[in-house]
Structures are given as C-alpha cells and as structure tokens.
Amino acid sequence: MSGNLVEVVNRTRVPVDREAVAALVGAVLDAEGVDGAEVGVAFVGDGRMRALNLEHRGLDRVTDVLAFPLEAEDELATWRELEAAPPGDVPPRLLGDVVVGARQALRQARAGDVPPAFELAVLLVHGVLHLLGHDHEADAGAMALRQGELLERLDWGRLLVPAA
C-alpha cells in the first residue's frame, strides 16, 4: 500500500479481518491515484446504522453503507492539483469515513446469493468512491462502472475471518 492510512474499527460480532479491509480500501485509493490520504472505516450494527441514516439522510431504516466525506467538491479539485506537487509539499488528505452496516451486508449477501466477503467489498468500494466525489445519482452510471472495474481486480476473499 502507498502512503495512505486506513483505520478500521469493528463494533460488531461479524468476524471482519481489519487488515484485509485496510488493504482493500488502500488498493481502491491507489487505483484512483490517491496518495497521502486518511480514511476511517467502521463496521456497526443495525441500531447504529439506522440512527445514522435517520440523522444524516432523514430515512428511518437500516442501510448498508454510508460515506461521510470531509472534503467539499471544490476541495477535491484542489487536491487533484496538489497531488502533482513534490512529495512533502502536500499536507495529509483527510478524506472521511465509510460506515458499513455489517449485519445488513450479510443479509444482502444471503438474499443475493453472493459470498458475504464480496458484499462487504462492494460496500467498501462504493463508500470510498463516494469519499472521492463520485455520485451515482448524478453520473449516469459512471460510478457503477468504475465500482465494477475495481471489484474485478481487488482481492476481497479475506475480508471475513474464517470460522474456526
């Protein structure tokens, strides 16, 4: 991984491999040409996810992933210019946080008949792309296309700790 820092917190009993999560998020940042950034990832339960969804989106229901970018759209453009500066001349880039509803992810994996680790990867990539300014409600499918491209080449198989 490059000079990106990914901090992972798991506040659930879902057996998430924090190192694998950090590696996957770091790989997304690398693929998007981001260096020197900091991202937080939190796995939370249904109650917390529902409360966050209500507080920030006005929707009183559990959701699968929320992204909390710390940069406004105009700051993203400034960072793209700064990334061309010599190393050491650019301050750390605090991108924001991705919060994943771990139980909701497992339910969705079961309903979609996909591996749970893959569902987590989908949500993590989706959240990180939001932190980087992608908006699936406004980009006519570009975000979904990029998400699919990234998922094809990322190693998501270790995101969950195997049962002993």
Side-chain angles (χ1 to χ4, degrees):
M1 189 160 47
S2 66
N4 296 310
L5 174 66
V6 180
E7 186 175 322
V8 181
V9 175
N10 184 5
R11 295 191 171 105
T12 72
R13 291 187 184 149
V14 175
V16 175
D17 184 322
R18 293 189 311 231
E19 288 180 20
V21 169
L24 183 132
V25 170
V28 173
L29 295 172
D30 290 346
E32 293 299 295
V34 176
D35 190 25
E38 296 181 17
V39 172
V41 177
F43 292 90
V44 300
D46 286 348
R48 183 71 180 132
M49 201 60 169
R50 182 177 181 168
L52 287 169
N53 202 24
L54 179 59
E55 180 181 346
H56 295 280
R57 297 179 61 223
L59 301 173
D60 190 12
R61 64 177 185 254
V62 175
T63 191
D64 52 8
V65 65
L66 292 170
F68 297 99
L70 293 176
E71 298 177 353
E73 190 62 36
D74 58 338
E75 290 173 308
L76 289 171
T78 302
W79 276 109
R80 288 184 187 106
E81 293 169 13
L82 282 174
E83 286 173 346
D89 289 352
V90 180
R93 183 175 177 187
L94 305 175
L95 285 180
D97 297 312
V98 174
V99 181
V100 176
R103 293 276 175 220
Q104 181 65 17
L106 296 179
R107 284 190 294 272
Q108 288 173 188
R110 205 168 26 254
D113 198 28
V114 298
F118 180 74
E119 184 68 22
L120 287 177
V122 168
L123 300 177
L124 290 165
V125 171
H126 190 87
V128 173
L129 288 176
H130 272 307
L131 293 183
L132 295 173
H134 292 269
D135 181 0
H136 52 79
E137 294 179 12
D139 69 8
M143 181 178 175
L145 181 62
R146 184 62 181 148
Q147 181 175 306
E149 292 168 352
L150 290 166
L151 287 165
E152 283 182 8
R153 58 184 172 164
L154 292 172
D155 177 14
W156 49 265
R158 297 182 313 113
L159 293 178
L160 292 171
V161 177

